[in-house]
Amino acid sequence: MSEPALVVRDLVVRYGARTAVAALSVTAARGQVTAVVGPNGAGKTSTVEACVGLRRRSSGDVTVLGSEVPVDGTLTPRVRERIGVMLQDGGLYATARPLELVRHVAGLYPAPADPAELLERLGIDPQTRTTIRRMSGGEQRRVACAVALVGNPELAFLDEPTAGLDAVGRREFHTLVRERVEAGCAVVLTTHLMDDVERLADHVVVVAGGRVVRAGTVADLVGDDESVAFRGPLHADLSGLVAVLPPGGTVVEDTPGHYLVTGAADPMVLSAIAAWCAQHGVRTADLTVGRRTLEDVVISLVGEL
Amino acid sequence: MSNPGGSPSTAITSGAARRVLHQAGWETRLLLRNGEQLLLTIAIPVGILLALAWTDLVPSVAGPDRLSTALATVLSVTVISSGFTSLAIATAFERRSGALRLLGTTPLRRSELLGGKLLATGAVMLVAAAVTTGVAVLLGWRPTTGAAWAVVVLVLGTACFAAWGIALAGLLRAEAVLAVANGLFLVLIMFGGVIVPVSSLPAPVAMFARTLPSDALAEAMRVAIVGGRPPSLGMVAVLVGWGAVGAIIAGRTFRWS
C-alpha cells in the first residue's frame, strides 16, 4: 500500500501546565476509516486540531499527505486543498443557509463535489430557506459534514460527526463515508458511539489520558472470546461453576450479584453453566450469552466512556 | 484542474484571484444581509446627513457650503463606521463563532481572506456612499469636479481604517472588540476632526487630533467635495502611514482561531 495519509508520531499538546496529548502516535491508511475513541478529555480533539493546523503542538511529528506539518500548525494551502475537516464545535456561519455555505466552501477547492447533491445525501433539503442558526444540532452536524466532504478530500478529519444525529442520519452518514473510503479517501473519525466504530472503522485507536491504550481492528479489540453474563444471588459460591469451565476459563462477580464467565465458547460448557444457573435460581431472562460488546471492551480499557 | 494548459504559477495566481473574489462575494452577501451592519453603514450616516443639513447642531457646517460640508463629513463617518468598526466587530465574532477556524482548514490563504474582506468592505462602502450621496442630491446638492477626488479619498481611507479594523479584531477578545470599536468610533468622529473640525477643538486635543487618520480623512474629503481639489500630500501621508502600521499589526495578530 502507498504511504499513509496521516502519520502522527509522539504528539504532545500542552495547555499551560495541563498535558492534553502525551506522546500519542497514530497512523491513518488511505482507503480506510481510522476511529479514535476514548472518554471526554482523552485528547481526541486536540490531536485532530494539531493535525489540521489549528493547534500548536508542543512536540512530536505530524505528516499529512506526505507533508510535514510545521510546529505552529499551519498547513500549506496546497495540503489544505486535499483535506476536509469537520470541527467539533460550530464553524458554520449562523446567518447563512446550508446550500449557500456549502457552495461557498466548494468554491475554495479545485475540484469540488456537487453541493446540492451532497446535502441531499445527508438528509438536508438543499432548497431550504432555514438559516443554519435555526437548525437543530443534528441538522447542523449534517451541514458540517457536507462542508468537510465537499472538497472531495483525500483525507477527511471528522470530529464527533454523529453527535446529536438521529438513527436515520447516522445510517446516511455511514453510507456516505463508506463510499468515500471505497473511492480511496482516508477518514479519521472521533466518536463516542460504538455503533459508528462497529459499522465504519477499519482501524480503532483507543485513547485515554492523551495516550493510545489499544489499537487494532474491531475484531482484534473484541477478541473471539465468548462470554456468559448472569444476575444471581449475592456472593454465590462459585467453586461448582469454576469446575465445569475449560482451562483458562474464569468467573468473576464483577459487581455484587452480577457474574461474568469467560472462556465458555463450547456449547457443552454452556449447558453445564446453564445447569449450575438452574440450581442457583438464575432466571433465563437474567442470562446473556455472547461476545463482549466493543463498548464493554473500551470501558474496560479506559474505565469510562 | 480548471486550468490544465496553464503553467503552475499562472494556475496558482488565477486560483488565488478566484478565491479572493469568491470570498469577497460571500462577505458582501453576509454584510448586506446583516441588519445591524446596514444600520451602521447606511441608516446612521443618512441620519447624520439630515441632522447636519437641517439643524445648526454643528455651527462649522453652516454657511453657503452647508450641504457639501455635511456630505463630506458623513462620507468620512461611513468610512470609519464600516471600514473600521463593523469590520473589526464582524471579524472578531467570526473568530469567536469558529467561522474563521473553518475557513482556516480550507485552501483559503489568510491574505486571500483579508483581501476578500477588504473588497467586500469597499463594495458595501460604495453602496453606502451612493445612498448617502443620493440623499444629498435629493436635498439639492450637485456633484462638483471634486467628486473623483472624493472616490480616491474614500478608497484610501477605507484601506487605512480596514487595516486597523482587522488589527483590532486580532488584538482583543470579541466582547472587548465590540466595546473598543464602538467607543473609538465615537471618539474619532467627535474629537478626531470628523464632525467637529480640529480648529474648533481645545488646543491640546487639536494638536493630538491632527495626527489622527480620522482628521486626515475628514479634511481630505472636505477639500475634495467642498473645494473640488485633490488632498494634500500631508493628508495622504497620514492615511498611508497609519494604514501601513495598521496593516503590519493586522498581519502579525491575525489568527484563524
Side-chain angles (χ1 to χ4, degrees):
Chain A
M1 192 133 194
S2 55
E3 52 155 17
L6 171 72
V7 181
V8 176
R9 200 167 290 128
D10 298 327
L11 176 69
V12 177
V13 178
R14 287 194 195 91
Y15 303 115
R18 197 171 76 83
T19 301
V21 182
L24 184 146
S25 298
V26 60
T27 300
R30 289 170 196 269
Q32 288 200 357
V33 175
T34 302
V36 180
V37 299
N40 296 320
K44 304 184 297 292
T45 294
S46 297
T47 300
V48 168
E49 288 179 342
C51 293
V52 300
L54 290 172
R55 181 72 60 196
R56 196 186 172 87
R57 64 178 188 268
S58 305
S59 64
D61 298 308
V62 180
T63 307
V64 169
L65 296 170
S67 296
E68 185 85 20
V69 178
V71 174
D72 71 359
T74 322
L75 290 172
T76 66
R78 282 288 180 195
V79 173
R80 289 197 247 144
E81 284 181 359
R82 297 161 61 202
I83 67 167
V85 182
M86 179 172 176
L87 300 170
Q88 194 184 118
D89 48 344
L92 304 175
Y93 284 87
T95 58
R97 286 182 278 273
L99 182 60
E100 60 179 357
L101 175 65
V102 179
R103 265 197 191 138
H104 174 60
V105 174
L108 298 170
Y109 286 88
D114 177 24
E117 194 186 310
L118 190 55
L119 279 172
E120 197 135 33
R121 288 288 312 271
L122 285 161
I124 297 287
D125 173 13
Q127 303 311 322
T128 184
R129 307 286 298 165
T130 310
T131 57
I132 291 167
R133 188 205 306 275
R134 302 197 184 285
M135 299 188 123
S136 72
E139 288 170 322
Q140 292 182 0
R141 295 313 280 156
R142 295 170 195 230
V143 176
C145 183
V147 164
L149 295 178
V150 76
N152 277 327
E154 289 171 52
L155 168 60
F157 292 91
L158 309 175
D159 199 0
E160 296 195 13
T162 52
L165 234 64
D166 57 29
V168 175
R170 286 204 302 277
R171 288 295 172 272
E172 286 164 344
F173 168 77
H174 292 157
T175 310
L176 186 62
V177 168
R178 243 11 281 182
E179 273 176 28
R180 293 306 180 98
V181 164
E182 264 143 42
C185 178
V187 172
V188 176
L189 163 93
T190 77
T191 185
H192 289 286
L193 290 178
M194 292 309 124
D195 178 47
D196 292 343
V197 180
E198 280 163 345
R199 285 183 176 269
L200 286 178
D202 299 292
H203 184 65
V204 187
V205 180
V206 184
V207 177
R211 292 170 203 279
V212 175
V213 293
R214 183 74 67 81
T217 62
V218 172
D220 290 342
L221 263 65
V222 172
D224 45 15
D225 197 25
E226 296 283 349
S227 66
V228 176
F230 62 85
R231 267 188 304 169
L234 288 178
H235 312 308
D237 174 12
L238 300 169
S239 55
L241 187 53
V242 173
V244 304
L245 293 178
T250 61
V251 52
V252 289
E253 188 175 2
D254 59 357
T255 55
H258 186 271
Y259 300 85
L260 184 69
V261 187
T262 58
D266 182 344
M268 285 303 288
V269 178
L270 281 179
S271 70
I273 295 171
W276 185 90
C277 284
Q279 288 160 17
H280 289 80
V282 176
R283 296 180 309 152
T284 309
D286 290 336
L287 188 65
T288 52
V289 179
R291 182 171 293 204
R292 286 197 299 165
T293 65
L294 182 61
E295 188 153 308
D296 288 338
V297 173
V298 172
I299 289 175
S300 72
L301 284 171
V302 303
E304 56 176 322
L305 189 72
Chain B
M1 267 147 251
S2 55
N3 184 11
S7 70
S9 69
T10 15
I12 292 168
T13 326
S14 66
R18 192 179 54 75
R19 285 191 296 269
V20 170
L21 290 176
H22 186 68
Q23 186 66 25
W26 173 249
E27 302 267 351
T28 308
R29 202 133 63 110
L30 292 178
L31 282 175
L32 292 177
R33 188 181 290 170
N34 182 335
E36 287 161 45
Q37 174 71 31
L38 292 182
L39 185 75
L40 203 59
T41 41
I42 296 177
I44 289 179
V46 167
I48 296 177
L49 179 69
L50 296 177
L52 291 177
W54 287 341
T55 71
D56 288 324
L57 284 176
V58 183
S60 60
V61 176
D65 296 322
R66 179 186 195 117
L67 209 44
S68 300
T69 312
L71 179 61
T73 303
V74 165
L75 288 177
S76 302
V77 170
T78 310
V79 166
I80 301 174
S81 71
S82 54
F84 173 69
T85 306
S86 303
L87 182 61
I89 294 170
T91 307
F93 279 87
E94 277 170 17
R95 180 175 292 119
R96 200 180 69 163
S97 76
L100 293 187
R101 278 158 65 78
L102 179 83
L103 289 178
T105 67
T106 71
L108 189 72
R109 292 162 173 80
R110 67 186 208 162
S111 57
E112 293 163 3
L113 172 76
L114 298 181
K117 282 190 172 297
L118 192 61
L119 283 181
T121 304
V124 171
M125 181 88 62
L126 286 178
V127 171
V131 171
T132 322
T133 308
V135 172
V137 169
L138 288 179
L139 293 175
W141 179 77
R142 292 294 168 261
T144 61
T145 48
W149 288 115
V151 174
V152 172
V153 174
L154 201 71
V155 170
L156 206 57
T158 302
C160 171
F161 278 95
W164 280 95
I166 300 283
L168 180 66
L171 285 168
L172 302 173
R173 287 185 311 120
E175 293 78 4
V177 170
L178 183 67
V180 172
N182 280 315
L184 273 178
F185 169 69
L186 287 176
V187 169
L188 287 177
I189 65 168
M190 297 313 294
F191 305 108
V194 180
I195 289 186
V196 182
V198 169
S199 51
S200 313
L201 292 172
V205 182
M207 243 174 61
F208 176 66
R210 274 185 221 286
T211 64
L212 294 177
S214 52
D215 177 54
L217 167 71
E219 199 53 40
M221 199 66 92
R222 278 191 286 264
V223 164
I225 292 183
V226 183
R229 285 175 287 119
S232 74
L233 276 181
M235 297 167 195
V236 173
V238 172
L239 284 177
V240 170
W242 275 93
V245 174
I248 290 168
I249 296 176
R252 295 236 170 119
T253 59
F254 179 83
R255 308 177 312 274
W256 293 107
S257 59

